[in-house]
Amino acid sequence: MRTWPVIAAMFLALGGLSAVAAYEMAPPRAGEWHEMAWPFPRDGWPAGRAFRCGAADCGGDVEVYVRPKLGFCNCTSGVADDDEVDRVADVDMISARFVPLKTGDSVDVADMPGRIRAYAVELPGGKRTAIGIALSHRCDLMVIAAQGSGDAAQVRQAALAFLGSREIKTWMTAAMGSR
Amino acid sequence: MVACQERVFVRGYRRASVAHSQRRLAGELGVVRMSGRVSAVCGTVVVVLLAHGASAQQPKIGDPPEASNMKLVGYSDLQARSAYQPTIHHQGNRWIAYIGHHGGTDDIPDPVNPMTGKPEPNGTSIVDVTDPAHPNYLRHIPGQEGKYESGGAQMVRVCDGDHLPKGDRNAVYMLRTFGSEAHEIWNVADPANPVLVARIGGLKDTHKSWWECDTGIAFLVSGAPGWRTRRMTQVYDLSDPAHPVKIRDFGLPGQEPGATGAVPTELHGPISTGAKGNRVYFGYGTDKGGFLQIVDRDKLLNGPKEPTPDNLKFPEIARMPLSAMNGAHTAFPMPGMRIAEFAHDKDGSTRDVVMIVDEAIQNECGEARQMVWFADVTTEARPMMISSFTVPEASGNFCERGGRFGSHSSNESMAPVYYKKLAFIAFFNAGVRALDVRDPYHPKEVGYFIPSITQATDKRCVTVDGKERCKVAIQTNNVETDDRGYIYAVDRANTGLHILELTGEARAIAGRQ
């Protein structure tokens, strides 16, 4: 029995897994954004990553929560409409009471198409602005929720700028499988 | 959700597989750290042996089926079409199997129908199973163009015209979905030559509907325009199938048009106990965030119909959440079960039970285990989960075999031969499992049958380190029984229809010789 090729393949596979794990643990760009613990209770999907940017750096405090949802049904149509964003984008994790501010827009992040929508959310401390983003790749989703004290345009701009950073794009790509 | 495109789940493997692999990696490193070179060599040998052990579980064409207390009676390849719901109907002196199909595959979007010589989008297979040892394929009715979940005609129910209040007494009506866009009613009195009778279209989606043959009331799983969810309920009066009459739209508060805030989990399917039982059991979710909803049927049909939060709440008796990691594909009621263990108790010797079946959607165990749950709903306002069942993974190394492992659906026939005695669960690569449910507090497996793969069995893939790796395994998708006691298991991966019967202890439980 020729076992060395099998062993070599296994070590290569283990190395690959380590690389993926390293990607997943990689910190975002140091500076204005700081990673924090996933602030939400366990639900049907594994926890994602959460980041905070202070008012001094982002013009208003902003938090971004991002995680993959692997196994999504609309494989061919992708994120079909704003209702889909309402359903999947994790804005309900911030608050079950959210109201869209207007019709959403198409968006492309890390080469994944999707939709982005702004909401007003009610929190115990008062109203905040939230952004929901749902991106699709084949049959999987990457969802992002963001909240901040600024207006919708400000929170959206800060969230999209952060998601556009090389580190986060690399992480999202790895988390969705090497596409 | 349900069933999504199979390649989807390719990706679904990653996160779980990384965690799984990291645990495995930690275990392997632990071995290597033991004490130098000898330990390292020993560890390597163990790893290699484990790898070979896993590959030994890979099914191969030509392997015999795996079985216990169940045996194969007959087989149809169903033209190598991915199969979902089988419904077996006693029609005159014949027994006819109506089988709904998912859409085609990337490799073969429209399989050729050998009876016409033409490629046809997967739709509905009609098979004469009067002689179960020699099924006779009668007709394929094409479905909606589209692959996997995006096409086909997954669902099918059948009612006799002389049973429906206003049906043509000479007709036999088949209610089916047409992909995601419509429900259709066909007259299948001559099952080899079906005739379209009516169509309910303009939908965003469809799925696992229920039809009461004695009243004609149908609970159609639809995606109605304007609703915030892909799947909700449209209640129709189909007592005269040629003239469908809509009664109302129904869903959970928050799903209705114009609502804001969180959107509750979408519907998978309802089962009604009819006018006499006056309950409809709705299963929501697929593999996540599921729950059972118990609804007063009379209030649902005759209560206020405008889809306001209050009106949607009005017919609900109770809602029982599952873990966020499980969904509810099938909610199968078994009211009035006499529990032997409780026979001498002054109260509670008879229980109302609902069997809830989750649906696994990810390949190679890329999600939390989806399984079977039993809920005691005797005190309806306080339903309680009492037991569960899963196939032991180690009994067949099912996470390594390929494709999905976990439950999907149960038989839904309430014919006396098996009702409240035995339940049959489609368990994807673990085949069909026979459960003794006479004591639902302690369900027990009494038989199983895992069909052999064939040349037609389609591959199932996962992504490992950026590369697609595919395996071929049986994917028993749905199962149904007929009044004679035959069991019909169909395959999602195109392997076809297997007609089974019980043997040994399992057969004795059904009171059959």
Side-chain angles (χ1 to χ4, degrees):
Chain A
M1 186 166 54
R2 295 166 62 93
T3 55
W4 285 113
V6 175
I7 293 167
M10 292 188 71
F11 275 105
L12 276 175
L14 292 175
L17 283 171
S18 302
V20 171
Y23 266 136
E24 295 200 339
M25 298 302 292
R29 184 176 54 178
E32 61 266 37
W33 286 91
H34 303 279
E35 184 157 13
M36 60 186 200
W38 185 252
F40 306 117
R42 168 80 210 218
D43 67 355
W45 304 95
R49 299 179 71 185
F51 304 90
R52 178 185 289 129
C53 182
D57 292 318
C58 289
D61 65 293
V62 180
E63 291 185 1
V64 170
Y65 321 106
V66 53
R67 62 175 172 171
K69 291 186 173 178
L70 306 179
F72 175 56
C73 281
N74 294 356
C75 307
T76 50
S77 55
V79 180
D81 50 32
D82 285 342
D83 286 342
E84 196 95 66
V85 183
D86 294 358
R87 282 198 297 270
V88 304
D90 279 347
V91 177
D92 61 331
M93 302 282 275
I94 301 169
S95 169
R97 302 177 68 180
F98 59 87
V99 180
L101 295 174
K102 61 176 185 173
T103 304
D105 300 310
S106 298
V107 71
D108 194 300
V109 176
D111 297 326
M112 291 183 281
R115 293 191 68 78
I116 182 170
R117 198 176 197 192
Y119 305 87
V121 294
E122 291 184 31
L123 294 174
K127 286 197 171 180
R128 304 263 291 179
T129 303
I131 299 291
I133 305 173
L135 310 167
S136 71
H137 173 66
R138 292 188 181 173
C139 304
D140 297 327
L141 283 177
M142 178 65 72
V143 302
I144 299 103
Q147 62 159 315
S149 55
D151 63 22
Q154 187 182 39
V155 177
R156 172 182 165 135
Q157 184 180 17
L160 287 177
F162 173 66
L163 296 171
S165 66
R166 188 177 61 81
E167 293 87 347
I168 290 299
K169 284 167 66 176
T170 302
W171 176 79
M172 287 195 288
T173 300
M176 296 287 274
S178 301
R179 296 174 299 116
Chain B
M1 293 184 287
V2 194
C4 309
Q5 188 186 49
E6 305 308 330
R7 284 171 59 107
V8 179
F9 307 121
V10 172
R11 301 277 166 191
Y13 178 81
R14 249 202 90 269
R15 177 168 290 275
S17 79
V18 168
H20 195 126
S21 302
Q22 284 171 340
R23 286 198 298 276
R24 195 180 292 168
L25 173 61
E28 287 158 6
L29 289 177
V31 170
V32 174
R33 282 185 191 128
M34 279 191 307
S35 61
R37 189 175 296 170
V38 173
S39 298
V41 171
C42 291
T44 304
V45 169
V46 169
V47 169
V48 170
L49 288 175
L50 285 173
H52 281 260
S55 66
Q57 291 293 328
Q58 267 309 115
K60 299 186 295 294
I61 293 171
D63 284 349
E66 299 163 67
S68 169
N69 285 338
M70 297 181 83
K71 73 175 185 183
L72 183 65
V73 176
Y75 170 73
S76 168
D77 71 0
L78 300 181
Q79 301 183 347
R81 299 179 191 273
S82 171
Y84 184 73
Q85 182 68 40
T87 294
I88 320 305
H89 192 65
H90 192 190
Q91 200 161 317
N93 58 359
R94 303 165 77 185
W95 294 83
I96 308 296
Y98 299 88
I99 297 153
H101 292 288
H102 295 292
T105 64
D106 285 331
D107 293 339
I108 309 176
D110 298 331
V112 172
N113 178 352
M115 302 175 80
T116 63
K118 295 176 181 172
E120 294 175 357
N122 287 355
T124 311
S125 285
I126 304 178
V127 184
D128 188 327
V129 293
T130 308
D131 177 1
H134 302 96
N136 181 23
Y137 196 100
L138 299 175
R139 180 69 180 253
H140 174 252
I141 312 174
Q144 184 186 11
E145 190 76 61
K147 293 180 280 190
Y148 305 100
E149 284 285 305
S150 302
Q154 298 171 25
M155 194 57 209
V156 59
R157 303 283 187 197
V158 181
C159 290
D160 288 320
D162 62 1
H163 202 179
L164 289 165
K166 300 175 198 166
D168 174 348
R169 299 189 64 78
N170 296 314
V172 177
Y173 296 102
M174 178 187 74
L175 170 68
R176 74 167 192 167
T177 55
F178 185 81
S180 58
E181 68 182 48
H183 302 280
E184 293 180 341
I185 302 170
W186 292 68
N187 183 351
V188 290
D190 176 0
N193 295 289
V195 177
L196 182 63
V197 174
R199 198 164 202 267
I200 301 167
L203 305 173
K204 293 191 294 186
D205 206 357
T206 65
H207 203 44
K208 196 172 176 60
S209 304
W210 184 262
W211 193 12
E212 298 174 0
C213 291
D214 57 343
T215 67
I217 298 297
F219 303 90
L220 304 180
V221 178
S222 303
W227 280 68
R228 301 174 74 211
T229 183
R230 224 163 42 111
R231 290 175 181 162
M232 35 67 76
T233 303
Q234 292 188 304
V235 187
Y236 268 81
D237 179 351
L238 299 183
S239 58
D240 176 0
H243 301 97
V245 177
K246 185 174 173 184
I247 296 175
R248 70 176 295 176
D249 288 336
F250 180 68
L252 301 173
Q255 294 177 336
E256 76 277 12
T260 59
V263 187
T265 310
E266 69 187 17
L267 173 67
H268 201 283
I271 294 181
S272 170
T273 59
K276 190 176 174 188
N278 194 33
R279 291 291 178 270
V280 187
Y281 297 90
F282 290 87
Y284 289 83
T286 302
D287 70 330
K288 286 182 173 61
F291 53 85
L292 165 71
Q293 184 191 36
I294 306 173
V295 166
D296 183 310
R297 177 185 174 278
D298 182 64
K299 288 182 178 176
L300 175 64
L301 267 55
N302 300 312
K305 297 175 176 59
E306 186 68 18
T308 65
D310 284 345
N311 291 349
L312 296 176
K313 184 82 177 161
F314 178 68
E316 179 179 287
I317 294 169
R319 203 186 292 185
M320 185 187 69
L322 280 68
S323 160
M325 289 184 277
N326 294 99
H329 177 281
T330 308
F332 184 66
M334 298 186 289
M337 294 191 74
R338 299 185 68 81
I339 312 293
E341 173 60 29
F342 304 155
H344 301 295
D345 297 350
K346 288 186 178 174
D347 190 17
S349 60
T350 298
R351 301 295 178 102
D352 298 331
V353 172
V354 177
M355 180 175 70
I356 302 165
V357 186
D358 313 330
E359 177 183 351
I361 68 168
Q362 305 265 17
N363 290 333
E364 300 192 27
C365 300
E367 66 196 320
R369 178 71 53 82
Q370 304 301 313
M371 47 206 278
V372 184
W373 306 88
F374 292 83
D376 186 329
V377 299
T378 311
T379 51
E380 286 187 299
R382 300 186 65 172
M384 183 180 83
M385 210 70 91
I386 55 173
S387 62
S388 65
F389 166 79
T390 185
V391 175
E393 193 276 331
S395 66
N397 281 355
F398 292 109
C399 286
E400 309 287 337
R401 285 194 181 199
R404 305 186 193 186
F405 166 62
S407 59
H408 181 202
S409 60
S410 70
N411 64 309
E412 295 173 354
S413 167
M414 297 177 191
V417 60
Y418 293 131
Y419 192 41
K420 304 179 191 176
K421 294 183 280 188
L422 289 166
F424 298 91
I425 313 296
F427 233 89
F428 288 117
N429 67 11
V432 57
R433 319 299 290 207
L435 297 190
D436 178 350
V437 297
R438 289 173 297 174
D439 178 358
Y441 276 72
H442 303 93
K444 187 177 75 167
E445 183 175 287
V446 292
Y448 64 82
F449 187 91
I450 307 175
S452 307
I453 62 169
T454 69
Q455 294 283 0
T457 308
D458 194 24
K459 64 184 182 297
R460 292 291 183 268
C461 307
V462 295
T463 299
V464 181
D465 296 334
K467 291 184 179 171
E468 196 171 68
R469 193 247 297 132
C470 303
K471 294 181 180 179
V472 177
I474 213 72
Q475 293 284 271
T476 299
N477 204 28
N478 290 64
V479 60
E480 186 53 294
T481 55
D482 70 18
D483 299 6
R484 300 174 296 179
Y486 291 109
I487 302 134
Y488 300 79
V490 297
D491 194 72
R492 192 185 190 93
N494 312 352
T495 315
L497 163 69
H498 295 83
I499 305 175
L500 312 169
E501 67 179 355
L502 293 178
T503 60
E505 175 199 1
R507 193 176 180 89
I509 291 169
R512 306 182 67 216
Q513 308 223 326

